Amino acid sequence: MLVFHSPAAERHDPDTFFRHGKTVPHPESAERYRTLRHAIDGTGHEVRECGDAGLGPITAVHDAGYVAFLADAWGMAQADDPDATEITTTQFARTLPRNRPTNLQGLMSYYSSDTSSGIRAGTWDAVYASAQTAISAADALETQRATYALCRPPGHHAHAIHSSGFCYLNNAAIAVERLTGRFSRVATLDIDVHHGDGTQDIFYERSDILTVSTHAETADYFPYFTGYENERGDGDGEGYNLNLPLVRGSGDEVYLGAIKKGLERISKHDAAALVVSLGLDAAEDDPVGILNVSTDGFRSAAALISSFGLPTLLVQEGGYPCDALGVNLAAFLEAFECGNR
């Protein structure tokens, strides 16, 4: 399998964030990239650094003002306070405001939905490179049956105009939009433990793109407000969004059953290409996840998706530092390759 990545992923390395009323070590650290990159070494996959397709594919999905803010925010922070180490916010708009502020804290509040996605000196470099990694992997599907984008930071919680849940740019959505230029109908399958709320929102009113997400139930788990079965799309997109929430603690059998159901819906969509938001935080050992998927479960998931036979882009989403993280990635990619032969 052709693998794309960027060393710039390491330039965003947050220390802590506020979770459940406490300041805790940030699980979405640069160590994730190193662990995932190391897992690929020695597996026989061809590894390439991503190219640079510019801002066009990004602003095809994201608000241009939001993208400009991400690029400019650290410079604004340094101008305000040369000793700053990170920008966060404590104000959040319940709905999109009618007016856009101009100062740093106002803009951070305008373009954020939680405190988990702070901005540091290297954040834009990493975020931009993560999107370019997905773009390069999408472009390679012109000649490849399957590609893997080692995207970090992840992206599926990022909405068109704001960051959320460790995510800044929605790498999977950017890749999907890119692929619509070459494939008539595209589907995205999110198998992260968390609902892909940003991806759902971006495509919620479209019928050419089917969004499917299997994830832990969200009534008492992030992102809380989305991921329910009654969210089916709006307008032209009605019926083109499918959520398959799983009971907390679900293991391999339930997880694989949901993926099978998702693939059945994708088959009815007559998709010509598939983008998989590959979250490994459904693992039983993951420090953030609440499902109990084993390494064999990930192998079986990969085999199922691979046997579906579509040109497929795997975009890295969650999966947090633990002994099983690299093992599960290597197992997934190997099983996908075996099913692709």
Side-chain angles (χ1 to χ4, degrees):
M1 183 180 297
L2 192 53
V3 173
F4 290 88
H5 77 111
S6 172
E10 293 192 77
R11 295 179 193 165
H12 172 66
D13 194 16
D15 301 316
T16 60
F17 83 114
F18 192 67
R19 183 174 190 246
H20 297 172
K22 298 178 181 178
T23 299
V24 299
H26 206 303
E28 210 297 286
S29 64
E31 182 60 27
R32 289 188 67 236
Y33 166 77
R34 292 189 287 268
T35 297
L36 295 167
R37 178 71 182 85
H38 179 72
I40 294 166
D41 291 340
T43 59
H45 302 298
E46 182 182 349
V47 180
R48 298 181 187 174
E49 289 193 23
C50 68
D52 188 344
L55 289 173
I58 296 172
T59 55
V61 167
H62 288 282
D63 175 79
Y66 170 56
V67 175
F69 168 72
L70 291 177
D72 297 342
W74 189 248
M76 296 173 69
Q78 290 292 283
D80 280 358
D81 178 6
D83 296 323
T85 58
E86 183 174 88
I87 319 163
T88 56
T89 188
T90 55
Q91 288 79 40
F92 305 100
R94 296 285 294 179
T95 59
L96 187 64
R98 292 185 177 86
N99 300 297
R100 180 179 178 274
T102 58
N103 75 325
L104 177 62
Q105 279 300 317
L107 289 168
M108 191 69 187
S109 301
Y110 187 82
Y111 289 127
S112 305
S113 70
D114 61 32
T115 61
S116 74
S117 306
I119 294 177
R120 303 169 72 92
T123 299
W124 172 246
D125 291 342
V127 167
Y128 181 79
S130 190
Q132 295 300 330
T133 298
I135 294 164
S136 291
D139 288 348
L141 279 189
E142 190 166 349
T143 58
Q144 303 289 318
R145 179 69 180 279
T147 57
Y148 167 66
L150 202 180
C151 294
R152 198 236 149 219
H156 71 153
H157 296 308
H159 292 238
I161 199 166
H162 65 78
S163 64
S164 178
F166 312 156
C167 301
Y168 303 82
L169 296 176
N170 196 309
N171 307 309
I174 292 166
V176 167
E177 187 65 41
R178 184 79 163 177
L179 289 171
T180 60
R182 291 194 294 279
F183 297 94
S184 56
R185 293 166 75 82
V186 182
T188 177
L189 173 64
D190 193 319
I191 61 173
D192 192 277
V193 74
H194 301 98
H195 176 238
D197 57 320
T199 310
Q200 171 177 293
D201 185 61
I202 287 167
F203 298 127
Y204 205 60
E205 297 181 357
R206 290 177 60 170
S207 60
D208 58 327
I209 296 166
L210 174 69
T211 54
V212 178
S213 180
T214 180
H215 49 268
E217 290 179 331
T218 56
D220 62 350
Y221 191 60
F222 187 86
Y224 301 110
F225 311 111
T226 63
Y228 299 84
E229 290 177 319
N230 63 358
E231 295 162 7
R232 301 186 64 253
D234 279 340
D236 289 344
E238 185 174 355
Y240 291 90
N241 188 84
L242 175 64
N243 287 323
L244 300 165
L246 309 179
V247 174
R248 180 186 289 258
S250 295
D252 293 356
E253 183 177 356
V254 174
Y255 180 70
L256 295 170
I259 291 174
K260 288 178 184 177
K261 188 173 182 179
L263 290 172
E264 289 170 1
R265 177 64 185 89
I266 290 167
S267 178
K268 292 177 183 177
H269 183 65
D270 197 24
L274 177 63
V275 174
V276 177
S277 280
L278 176 57
L280 297 170
D281 43 6
E284 56 192 353
D285 299 319
D286 192 90
V288 173
I290 58 171
L291 298 180
N292 288 308
V293 178
S294 69
T295 299
D296 283 342
F298 284 114
R299 287 194 183 97
S300 296
L304 273 173
I305 297 167
S306 178
S307 68
F308 201 60
L310 290 180
T312 301
L313 164 57
L314 307 172
V315 177
Q316 187 63 53
E317 299 289 359
Y320 299 96
C322 64
D323 291 343
L325 177 57
V327 173
N328 288 338
L329 175 62
F332 190 99
L333 296 182
E334 179 186 22
F336 195 100
E337 282 282 82
C338 289
N340 221 7
R341 291 178 184 142

